[in-house]
Every structure is written in structure tokens, then in C-alpha cells.
Amino acid sequence: MKALLVGCGKMGGALLQQWSRSADWDFTVVDPFAETVPEGVTLLKAREDVPDTLFDLLIVAVKPQMIDEVMPAYQTSLAPSGVVASIAAGCSVDRLKAATGAGAVIRIMPNLPALIAQGVSGLYASPDCTNDQKTAVETLMQRAGTTVWVDDEDALDRVTAVAGSGPGYVFEIARTYIAAAEALGFTNDQARALVLGTMAGAVEMARLSDETVEALRNSVTSKNGTTQAGLEALNADGTLSELLLRTTQAAYDRAVELR
């Protein structure tokens, strides 16, 4: 099958690294600024360079504010049975349909760990999509990590608040955790190794366990021990819980504003 990727910035490029490994797809990229693409991918600089080929999948990876200007020129590139997949945050199905002329549209909210095939992506399909179209897009996205289907576009904005923006929260937590370790007397290299190794190990343990994260937390918390003392300082009054609620709500509110 043939796919045309319009735009190849940081996220588009990260996904393409994973998608291009699929033997089932032939990828063409249009981006005036991209300099390299994975082996086997065709890179074009402008719409005028795109052949008259009809593509089974048209992937929208340009900035949301550019969609109305850029995408109408590609309406004749999509096969009648084709589907549009968009990773443009906040751009609704209706707007994508108007810009691309497509009937079937799938919106995708990926996150940055897709670069190492550890991403989490939310997907929403318009009612026009067939099961085959949904399966094809889902299979591509699973090359970049985990996929979660949602029932409406509002839920996709909530995915944005939790997973799309989530790596930023995790990096900030890691940054402050490393700074705290340095304040205890460790060098930056030591602090990074201790903190990032601990976080990675704990997350992987939770991923592989059938226990709840609460149960896992309790399993390492001895009565009156060091972990209990740390946890009481961290969240005994619910400050951390409230902070994360405010964090995800603020990101969701912004996603709604961008619709």
C-alpha cells in the first residue's frame, strides 16, 4: 500500500522511523525542510513533485495552523477508498475533511517516546472509516508503541492532556528528582544514574505486574521506615495528587481552546 506523509517534523519523523520498517507500505514524504529520511522512503520538497499516483493513506503532519492552506492541494492524491490520518493536535475531523476532501479520517495523538518505539497513542476514527482502514492505521501506530482507541474527539483531547503532554511532566519530575539527589551530595552523573534507573525499573515493574500501583507502593513501604517518611513528605496532605489533577486539567483546557 502507498502512503503520503505531508510534513516531517520532530513527531512525523519519529513515527516515520518506525513506520518505514513495515514491508506492507511504500512511503513518500513531502517536506521542504527535511534533509534525510529512512532508507526506502521517497523524499520530495514540494507538492508539485508528487506524482499522479493515488495513495491509500494520506498522513497530515503539518502544524495545525497550516492545514487549511497546505492540505487542499493534496485532495487529488488520495484514492477514493483511502483514509486520512492526522497527528495535528487540536484539528477536528470536520476541519480535516474540509481541507482534504476525505470521507474517512482518523485522528492520532502520539507522544514523543514513539521515537524509540515506546510511545502511547490515542486514536479516534470518524464513522466513515472501515474496519480495514482502522486496522491498517492501528498496525502502523503499534510499530511506535501502545495504542488506545477512544470514542469521541473530546476523549482525544483528554489523551493529549495525559499522554501527549505526559513526557514533559515525567521529564520535569525527573529533573527535580535529580536536583534533589544532587542536593544530598551526589554528582550529576551519579544522580542521573540513580534517579533514571530507579524510575525506569519501577515503571517496568509496574507494567509487568498484575498488582495495582498502590499495592506495589505498599510492598516497598515498611512501617516507620525510610520510604514511609519520604512518602509522607511527598503526598501525605494530597498536594502531589492535587498538583497532577491541576496539571492534566490545564493541558486539557488548552487542548479545547485549540480546537
Side-chain angles (χ1 to χ4, degrees):
M1 293 185 285
K2 295 183 180 297
L4 179 63
L5 172 62
V6 182
C8 193
K10 193 163 191 177
M11 183 56 70
L15 291 170
L16 183 63
Q17 288 288 340
Q18 310 305 327
W19 294 340
S20 62
R21 295 173 183 159
S22 173
D24 297 329
W25 288 92
D26 177 18
F27 279 91
T28 299
V29 173
V30 182
D31 190 307
F33 305 108
E35 296 181 357
T36 61
V37 291
E39 184 178 354
V41 174
T42 300
L43 175 60
L44 305 174
K45 293 297 184 179
R47 170 67 182 92
E48 293 74 21
D49 301 327
V50 178
D52 293 335
T53 304
L54 291 177
F55 293 87
D56 304 290
L57 175 62
L58 176 60
I59 305 166
V60 181
V62 298
K63 293 180 179 180
Q65 60 267 32
M66 297 173 60
I67 286 175
D68 298 331
E69 175 186 352
V70 171
M71 294 312 302
Y74 292 90
Q75 291 189 5
T76 57
S77 295
L78 185 65
S81 60
V83 58
V84 167
S86 170
I87 65 169
C91 189
S92 69
V93 164
D94 287 345
R95 186 176 162 202
L96 289 163
K97 285 185 175 185
T100 64
V105 173
I106 295 177
R107 286 186 58 195
I108 304 166
M109 185 63 245
N111 66 8
L112 192 58
L115 183 62
I116 57 168
Q118 292 292 322
V120 179
S121 300
L123 296 93
Y124 168 74
S126 69
D128 321 75
C129 292
T130 67
N131 286 334
D132 286 346
Q133 289 170 333
K134 291 170 66 176
T135 298
V137 173
E138 179 180 41
T139 300
L140 278 178
M141 291 308 303
Q142 285 174 340
R143 288 187 165 274
T146 303
T147 57
V148 177
W149 285 98
V150 297
D151 294 330
D152 54 58
E153 293 189 83
D154 181 71
L156 204 64
D157 288 334
R158 286 179 271 131
V159 170
T160 302
V162 174
S165 299
Y169 315 152
V170 174
F171 293 145
E172 177 62 7
I173 291 168
R175 183 192 68 79
T176 56
Y177 194 177
I178 289 168
E182 290 177 314
L184 283 178
F186 293 105
T187 67
N188 180 259
D189 286 346
Q190 290 173 324
R192 280 178 59 88
L194 288 166
V195 169
L196 298 182
T198 297
M199 292 179 72
V203 168
E204 187 63 11
M205 186 175 176
R207 281 165 58 96
L208 297 175
S209 176
D210 293 330
E211 296 187 78
T212 66
V213 291
E214 182 179 8
L216 290 170
R217 180 205 63 192
N218 292 342
S219 72
V220 298
T221 308
S222 300
K223 186 175 182 180
N224 296 323
T226 59
T227 305
Q228 180 177 325
L231 287 171
E232 287 176 352
L234 182 66
N235 198 35
D237 58 359
T239 299
L240 180 62
S241 298
E242 178 61 28
L243 178 62
L244 287 173
L245 283 171
R246 294 204 311 270
T247 297
T248 53
Q249 185 66 47
Y252 168 70
D253 290 344
R254 181 57 178 156
V256 171
E257 291 174 3
L258 292 172
R259 287 179 185 170

